[in-house]
């Protein structure tokens, strides 16, 4: 398909384990965003990439969260030493624009992470 | 960052027109207004975007008064499948920082949960 693809769709991990969430953005989209969505809440910004450059990581809740996009396409969000409060849906979005842009964001369906 | 206020929930019946109003009193000159729709277990989906006056597409209309301090999303003749959460967002998803870089800049809020009944 031509949309944003995220994997896995569901991930269950034990507290303390490391997890890696993958995002395949729409081909050619320069901007990539990660969001965290708690149950009943709107998505909250985590981090933003322009190509391979991580230009904003102000939303990452702790240094246990790490994101990369080494070749400017696929991105991985890694959470180390997971805690129960990390349980949420993690959404990835991409957009065509860069800089001051009003291109809409295209979202994947997210990865639902449950920490036991 | 421009903050938005919208109703937490709304109820409607099939076939009715639904209007969801969003307040954004401190909208900046360069800010656009964007609405997203989200179904359970799915990511948000772009519905419509506007800057001023009225915008219409195949799904909805967006009405923006001259002062731009509010906007209204209008869904004509809703069906059961329009039951979802609707988010009003104001701003530019990517803004230039004073140091020349760019940063993410989109705040979703809690949205409006629309329930359409038969």
């Amino acid at each position: 398909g031509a949309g944003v693809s995220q994997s896995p769709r569901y991930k269950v991990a034990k507290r303390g384990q490391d997890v890696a969430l993958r995002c395949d953005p729409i081909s050619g989209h320069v901007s990539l965003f990660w969001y965290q969505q708690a149950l009943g809440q709107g998505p909250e910004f985590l981090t933003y990439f322009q190509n391979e450059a991580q230009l904003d990581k102000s939303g990452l809740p702790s240094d246990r969260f790490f994101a990369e996009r080494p070749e400017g396409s696929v991105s991985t969000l890694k959470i180390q030493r997971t805690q129960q409060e990390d349980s949420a849906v993690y959404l990835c979005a991409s957009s065509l624009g860069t800089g001051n842009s009003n291109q809409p964001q295209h979202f994947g369906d997210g990865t639902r992470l449950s920490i036991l | 960052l421009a903050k938005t206020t919208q109703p937490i929930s709304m109820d409607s019946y099939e076939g009715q027109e639904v209007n969801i109003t969003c307040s954004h009193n401190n909208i900046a000159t360069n800010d656009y207004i964007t609405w997203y729709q989200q179904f359970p277990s799915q990511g948000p989906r772009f519905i419509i975007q506007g800057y001023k006056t009225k915008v219409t597409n195949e799904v909805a209309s967006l009405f923006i008064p001259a002062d731009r301090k509010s906007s209204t999303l209008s869904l004509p003749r809703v069906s059961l499948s329009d039951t979802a959460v609707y988010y009003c967002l104001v701003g530019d998803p990517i803004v230039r920082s004073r140091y020349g870089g760019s940063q993410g800049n989109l705040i979703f809020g809690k949205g409006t949960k629309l329930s359409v009944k038969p």
Side-chain angles (χ1 to χ4, degrees):
Chain A
V4 176
S5 177
Q6 292 188 247
S7 61
R9 285 282 281 132
Y10 303 92
K11 177 68 177 179
V12 179
K14 293 183 179 179
R15 187 166 60 93
Q17 287 183 330
D18 298 348
V19 298
L21 313 179
R22 177 188 170 104
C23 172
D24 282 85
I26 294 173
S27 177
H29 277 196
V30 171
S31 295
L32 185 144
F33 304 80
W34 282 97
Y35 293 86
Q36 181 189 61
Q37 186 170 26
L39 190 63
Q41 304 295 316
E44 292 191 359
F45 170 81
L46 293 177
T47 187
Y48 160 60
F49 288 86
Q50 187 177 110
N51 295 307
E52 70 279 2
Q54 188 175 21
L55 299 185
D56 186 355
K57 52 183 180 180
S58 61
L60 296 177
S62 77
D63 58 7
R64 296 185 295 104
F65 286 71
F66 173 76
E68 61 183 4
R69 193 186 185 199
E71 297 180 358
S73 55
V74 172
S75 178
T76 302
L77 176 67
K78 298 179 180 178
I79 309 174
Q80 297 175 324
R81 304 181 303 282
T82 52
Q83 302 294 316
Q84 284 192 324
E85 61 262 28
D86 299 335
S87 295
V89 175
Y90 290 85
L91 294 164
C92 175
S94 69
S95 70
L96 189 60
T98 63
N100 289 340
S101 167
N102 293 295
Q103 294 284 342
Q105 295 187 29
H106 300 265
F107 284 82
D109 286 335
T111 294
R112 182 176 296 277
L113 176 63
S114 298
I115 305 300
L116 305 178
Chain B
L1 299 176
K3 183 179 178 180
T4 61
T5 303
Q6 54 183 122
I8 295 296
S9 64
M10 293 183 68
D11 291 333
S12 181
Y13 291 93
E14 282 190 293
Q16 288 187 333
E17 178 184 76
V18 170
N19 296 307
I20 305 174
T21 296
C22 178
S23 298
H24 28 80
N25 291 319
N26 59 340
I27 187 171
T29 302
N30 296 329
D31 286 345
Y32 277 69
I33 301 158
T34 310
W35 286 79
Y36 285 83
Q37 173 193 55
Q38 187 176 27
F39 298 111
S41 300
Q42 293 186 23
R45 181 175 70 99
F46 171 83
I47 301 176
I48 196 166
Q49 183 182 73
Y51 182 80
K52 62 180 179 181
T53 63
K54 176 184 176 181
V55 179
T56 298
N57 61 22
E58 65 277 6
V59 177
S61 294
L62 180 60
F63 298 91
I64 305 169
D67 65 5
R68 303 203 326 123
K69 294 182 182 300
S70 67
S71 60
T72 299
L73 174 72
S74 180
L75 304 172
R77 299 179 297 282
V78 294
S79 64
L80 296 177
S81 62
D82 292 317
T83 294
V85 177
Y86 293 81
Y87 295 98
C88 164
L89 291 88
V90 172
D92 192 327
I94 308 162
V95 296
R96 292 280 183 200
S97 73
R98 63 162 59 181
Y99 303 109
S102 299
Q103 63 188 50
N105 187 41
L106 219 52
I107 299 174
F108 274 79
K110 293 187 177 182
T112 297
K113 186 175 182 179
L114 173 66
S115 298
V116 180
K117 303 174 183 179

